[in-house]
């Protein structure tokens, strides 16, 4: 098999070839490795090769619905026993921290027959919607290497889009599956809260805001991977209702007539690029052609306050992670990026009662989302408010870096929080991705579907820009059914960048 043929198959298609004896798992792995070696010097998506470990697995007995299919795993919580586990962090990399055992998720992937052969680039602790960590350098978009593949699963997205693998691990705490899917022309489903595992060390991240899954080129791959991964684990804080039927069956079916509300207005009042608006308008037209009822509507909630509440939880999470890494590695502040240290300082400066208030407000947001989804099956928005950003375009400006260094030196983070500068900095980042946090805070599933490639935006022509659908609790199957219908009506699988 040559690479050109390998690329024509999704994970299910490759597994079928292995099952029929037309190719071996070892042969597929070598094709994937060769492709990675060819494109990774330009894209920097694969940062920790695990070739020997994978070769050993590929020669052994394999079973499961995806037996023999090569994959990559994100270097953030999706641990592989015996492999480096750096999380985009300088201190963990300097101390060469390794995972003691497979995470529950990776164990389930392996039980499904997948063969992981490396770990992918991520920003430090997955904190950004771009992938440009100091520890490994920026990952680049295969469609245009001057632009980001998104984040925080940007390394995985770059490798899937470039044809290295049909599927790669990802996770999403504020859009980190959907954002890179939108940037790289991929399908990205964020499951609902509690649908996929985090164990065995812990079973929920950021009170359920963050969830694990994958990035794929085909809808059916994402569906089958969700069947393989989903379900409770030891220590689950609550048990989510199982699907009424296998997700693979949902992706093989078609939805009935749906009622969908859509919006192209930023809920934060920030600008939305004409390309993002065109992406949704094109999706609306396609939905109407398919017989669905679509009208302009949006949930009624204080989106600005919601984003700040999301940020407060992330501040606290980051502070805890920095403390943990310092304890594990013995490194001081030099082991972390400036932005990470600032976020952690803000987390320590947030009083416990304010943290509780912000989490309590989540209930209001969930009620607002549930109220909206009583009237509509889905909410449609741009995934991103603008085309994929240029490499370096979203870096903290030098003047802010100087101010942060001074404030951290004198312990002035509490003063900074009172000035409103944090809110200003947050809105500057959220303007790029004002639509994705809703699904994380409310715990509902959402997906980005690749239906638009930019055609008139200066500097962004040819770059993908996805459309987001937000569903209700337990609607992963219904989302997959719609995604499969859209995939059939406007195929994207054969659109490849390089």
């Amino acid at each position: 098999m040559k690479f050109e043929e390998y690329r024509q198959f999704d994970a299910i298609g490759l597994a079928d070839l292995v099952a029929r004896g037309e190719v071996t798992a070892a042969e597929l792995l070598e094709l994937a490795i060769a492709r990675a070696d060819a494109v990774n010097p330009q894209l920097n998506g694969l940062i920790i090769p695990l070739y020997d470990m994978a070769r050993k697995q590929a020669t052994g007995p394999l079973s499961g619905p995806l037996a023999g299919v090569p994959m990559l795993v994100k270097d953030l919580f999706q641990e592989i026993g015996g492999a480096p586990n750096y999380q985009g962090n300088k201190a963990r990399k300097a101390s060469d921290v390794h995972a003691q055992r497979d995470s529950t998720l990776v164990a389930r992937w392996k039980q499904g027959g997948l063969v992981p052969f490396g770990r992918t680039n991520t920003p430090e602790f997955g904190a950004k919607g771009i992938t440009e960590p100091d520890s490994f350098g920026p990952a680049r978009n295969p469609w245009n290497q001057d632009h980001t593949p998104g984040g925080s699963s940007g390394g995985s997205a770059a490798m899937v889009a470039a044809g290295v693998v049909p599927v790669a691990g990802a996770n999403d705490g504020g859009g980190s599956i959907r954002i890179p899917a939108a940037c790289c022309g991929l399908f990205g489903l964020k499951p609902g809260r509690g649908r996929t595992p985090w164990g065995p060390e812990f079973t929920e991240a950021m009170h359920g805001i963050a969830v694990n899954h994958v990035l794929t080129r085909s809808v059916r791959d994402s569906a089958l991977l969700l069947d393989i991964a989903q379900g409770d684990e030891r220590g689950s804080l609550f048990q989510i209702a199982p699907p009424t039927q296998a997700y693979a069956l949902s992706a093989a079916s078609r939805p009935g007539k749906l009622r969908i509300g859509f919006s192209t207005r930023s809920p934060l009042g920030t600008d939305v690029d004409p390309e993002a608006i065109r992406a949704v308008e094109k999706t609306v037209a396609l939905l109407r052609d398919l017989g669905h009822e679509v009208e302009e509507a949006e949930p009624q909630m204080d989106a600005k306050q919601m984003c700040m509440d999301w940020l407060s939880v992330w501040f606290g999470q980051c502070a805890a992670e920095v403390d943990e890494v310092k304890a594990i590695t013995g490194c001081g502040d030099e082991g972390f990026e400036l932005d990470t240290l600032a976020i952690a300082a803000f987390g320590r400066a947030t009083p416990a009662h304010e943290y509780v208030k912000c989490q309590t407000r989540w209930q209001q947001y969930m009620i607002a989302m549930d109220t909206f989804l009583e009237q509509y099956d889905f909410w449609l928005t741009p995934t991103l408010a603008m085309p994929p950003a240029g490499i370096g375009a979203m870096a903290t400006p030098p003047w802010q870096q100087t101010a942060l260094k001074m404030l951290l030196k004198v312990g002035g983070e509490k003063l900074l929080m009172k000035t409103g500068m944090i809110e200003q900095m947050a809105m500057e980042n959220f303007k790029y991705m004002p639509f994705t946090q809703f699904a994380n805070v409310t715990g509902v599933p959402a997906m980005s579907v690749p239906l638009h490639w930019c055609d008139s935006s200066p500097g962004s022509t040819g770059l993908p820009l996805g459309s987001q659908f937000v569903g209700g609790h337990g609607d992963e199957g219904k989302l997959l059914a719609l995604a499969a219908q859209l995939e059939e009506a406007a195929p994207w699988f054969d659109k490849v960048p390089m």
Side-chain angles (χ1 to χ4, degrees):
M1 178 183 283
K2 302 293 186 182
F3 168 71
E4 291 73 19
E5 185 181 2
Y6 168 79
R7 192 180 208 169
Q8 293 173 17
F9 294 92
D10 63 1
I12 292 174
L14 291 174
D16 182 59
L17 294 177
V18 173
R20 290 191 280 116
E22 296 187 23
V23 68
T24 67
E27 289 169 337
L28 289 182
L29 177 61
E30 294 307 322
L31 280 166
I33 289 173
R35 179 61 173 173
D37 288 345
V39 301
N40 199 54
Q42 294 78 45
L43 302 179
N44 194 33
L46 172 60
I47 54 169
I48 303 171
L50 301 171
Y51 296 171
D52 290 341
M53 184 182 293
R55 284 173 174 136
K56 183 177 180 180
Q57 182 189 351
T59 57
L62 294 167
S63 61
L66 292 177
V69 176
M71 79 173 300
L72 294 169
V73 173
K74 184 177 179 179
D75 186 30
L76 187 67
F77 298 116
Q78 299 175 352
E79 297 90 354
I80 298 176
N85 180 24
Y86 299 150
Q87 301 177 10
N89 170 245
K90 294 190 291 183
R92 294 179 71 96
K93 182 182 179 185
S95 299
D96 196 22
V97 176
H98 281 52
Q100 295 183 355
R101 54 183 170 174
D102 288 350
S103 68
T104 304
L105 183 69
V106 168
R108 290 181 183 180
W109 285 339
K110 287 183 177 180
Q111 289 165 7
L114 289 152
V115 181
F117 68 94
R119 295 175 67 75
T120 59
N121 205 351
T122 181
E124 190 165 60
F125 304 136
K128 298 179 179 179
I130 54 173
T131 302
E132 301 177 18
D134 290 351
S135 54
F136 287 100
R140 296 177 180 273
N141 195 317
W143 294 90
N144 184 328
Q145 294 171 30
D146 292 331
H147 291 258
T148 182
S152 63
S153 308
S156 288
M159 294 293 94
V160 174
V164 175
V165 286
V167 56
N171 35 48
D172 190 318
S176 292
I177 289 175
R178 291 158 289 156
I179 292 168
C183 290
C184 292
L186 304 175
F187 178 69
L189 172 71
K190 180 201 86 72
R193 179 174 294 151
R195 182 64 68 193
T196 52
W198 279 95
E201 275 72 29
F202 59 96
T203 61
E204 187 176 272
M206 294 174 66
H207 311 297
I209 278 182
V211 293
N212 281 301
H213 193 37
V214 293
L215 286 157
T216 64
R217 288 171 62 204
S218 75
V219 173
R220 69 175 189 167
D221 276 358
S222 184
L224 181 55
L225 263 294
L226 192 55
D227 281 324
I228 289 170
Q230 70 91 24
D232 301 326
E233 60 185 317
R234 181 185 300 148
S236 291
L237 295 181
F238 65 96
Q239 295 190 358
I240 190 169
T244 55
Q245 67 174 3
Y247 293 116
L249 290 177
S250 295
S253 64
R254 293 296 176 266
K257 182 177 180 179
L258 300 172
R259 190 164 188 246
I260 298 171
F262 80 93
S263 175
T264 58
R265 184 190 72 86
S266 166
L268 301 177
T270 50
D271 292 338
V272 178
D273 191 274
E275 287 285 4
I277 294 172
R278 275 194 290 276
V280 170
E281 290 175 343
K282 182 188 294 185
T283 304
V284 167
L286 178 58
L287 290 166
R288 286 174 174 157
D289 286 345
L290 292 169
H292 301 299
E293 181 182 344
V294 190
E295 63 184 34
E296 201 159 358
E298 61 187 37
Q300 297 303 304
M301 67 177 78
D302 186 341
K304 194 174 206 180
Q305 183 64 57
M306 188 208 67
C307 285
M308 296 309 298
D309 288 342
W310 176 92
L311 207 57
S312 293
V313 172
W314 170 234
F315 286 169
Q317 177 76 19
C318 187
E321 288 186 4
V322 168
D323 289 349
E324 180 183 5
V325 172
K326 285 183 176 180
I328 291 171
T329 65
C331 289
D333 287 352
E334 72 280 358
F336 304 87
E337 296 177 17
L338 174 62
D339 288 356
T340 301
L341 292 173
I343 291 169
F346 300 146
R348 296 187 193 97
T350 302
H353 68 277
E354 291 296 336
Y355 186 96
V356 171
K357 284 180 183 178
C358 91
Q359 196 182 5
T360 300
R361 282 191 291 267
W362 289 8
Q363 298 170 52
Q364 300 170 17
Y365 310 137
M366 286 188 279
I367 290 169
M369 184 63 76
D370 286 348
T371 300
F372 178 82
L373 292 171
E374 287 172 1
Q375 305 170 65
Y376 300 95
D377 291 286
F378 300 128
W379 181 35
L380 165 64
T381 74
T383 306
L384 296 170
M386 58 191 74
I391 297 293
M394 296 186 67
T396 302
W399 71 268
Q400 283 187 359
Q401 294 184 34
T402 301
L404 290 172
K405 287 177 182 177
M406 292 177 59
L407 285 161
L408 290 172
K409 189 174 182 180
V410 300
E413 53 269 10
K414 287 187 178 181
L415 176 63
L416 179 60
M417 293 179 78
K418 293 179 180 179
T419 66
M421 184 177 171
I422 298 299
E423 185 172 322
Q424 178 186 346
M425 293 169 62
M427 290 304 113
E428 189 64 26
N429 274 281
F430 281 133
K431 72 179 185 181
Y432 174 60
M433 44 187 178
F435 302 102
T436 52
Q437 291 81 20
F438 285 82
N440 298 91
V441 172
T442 58
V444 298
M447 65 182 181
S448 182
V449 186
L451 298 171
H452 180 71
W453 272 253
C454 300
D455 53 18
S456 60
S457 181
S460 300
T461 300
L463 283 167
L465 194 56
S467 295
Q468 176 185 234
F469 291 85
V470 179
H473 296 287
D475 274 353
E476 290 93 345
K478 192 161 73 167
L479 283 164
L480 287 163
L482 174 60
Q485 185 184 45
L486 293 170
E487 181 181 36
E488 182 180 329
W492 60 75
F493 189 86
D494 292 331
K495 293 184 178 181
V496 294
M498 59 189 301

